Amino acid sequence: MRGEELIGVTSFCAVFGETKVAEQIRTKRSTTDSIDDSDRPAHIVQISVLELKGFMANDASYELVDVRSEGERGIASIEDFRLLDRTYHDELCGCDKDTPMIFLCHHGIRSQQAAEYFRQQGCRNLYNVQGGIDAWSQFVDATVPRY
């Protein structure tokens, strides 16, 4: 599936915790230093909003990808998440395939689809936030509006 197809499939999206997660990423990186797993199919790790909060408090390098529309982002957003537009899509496709990417939407369904798209592009370090920004509003930061 090419970028243009992603836009068509998910046109309703943008334009197209705990330290457990950070430890998973560090472990994956340390094992990939000695083992060539480039042919191994990636899977998408499901994380809770509490795990996301812990991960964001860590100094690790990652991409925070918001796959919602600009209108939804105008209602509610989480700092440091970047809207997935064509430019950001192209940047992500050009990243190292082991770059950690964390996907977020309203409830976790569209973000799972976006993570799957990037998995098909060869990315291997993918995370989907279960419950999306709605769960973030309920369990992490009540100042983020629910819609």
Side-chain angles (χ1 to χ4, degrees):
M1 184 181 290
R2 294 180 13 233
E4 297 82 48
E5 293 169 323
L6 176 66
I7 292 170
V9 170
T10 60
S11 60
F12 52 89
C13 289
V15 170
F16 308 66
E18 303 149 307
T19 54
K20 176 179 165 185
V21 176
E23 288 169 16
Q24 289 173 351
I25 291 169
R26 279 195 300 275
T27 302
K28 181 173 176 71
R29 283 189 177 159
S30 66
T31 58
T32 57
D33 291 342
S34 58
I35 300 171
D36 180 13
D37 65 351
S38 57
D39 293 333
R40 182 178 54 87
H43 68 282
I44 300 162
V45 178
Q46 302 300 311
I47 62 171
S48 72
V49 291
L50 296 176
E51 289 171 317
L52 172 62
K53 180 182 178 185
F55 184 70
M56 291 174 68
N58 192 309
D59 290 335
S61 175
Y62 46 79
E63 296 291 332
L64 297 173
V65 187
D66 186 341
V67 303
R68 298 173 304 140
S69 69
E70 286 186 44
E72 288 176 287
R73 187 167 168 80
I75 296 168
S77 63
I78 300 173
E79 187 176 351
D80 296 329
F81 269 86
R82 186 170 164 191
L83 191 64
L84 181 61
D85 57 13
R86 186 173 303 277
T87 301
Y88 193 30
H89 165 272
D90 294 345
E91 288 176 26
L92 292 173
C93 286
C95 285
D96 180 284
K97 298 301 181 189
D98 287 315
T99 299
M101 297 179 192
I102 302 173
F103 295 87
L104 173 90
C105 68
H106 190 198
H107 290 115
I109 297 168
R110 290 176 286 171
S111 52
Q112 176 68 29
Q113 292 171 340
E116 177 61 29
Y117 167 82
F118 282 96
R119 187 190 69 76
Q120 291 173 5
Q121 303 309 304
C123 298
R124 295 183 288 269
N125 208 349
L126 306 168
Y127 300 84
N128 181 50
V129 179
Q130 293 179 318
I133 197 162
D134 190 60
W136 181 271
S137 299
Q138 292 178 67
F139 303 111
V140 176
D141 184 357
T143 66
V144 174
R146 293 184 70 199
Y147 63 98

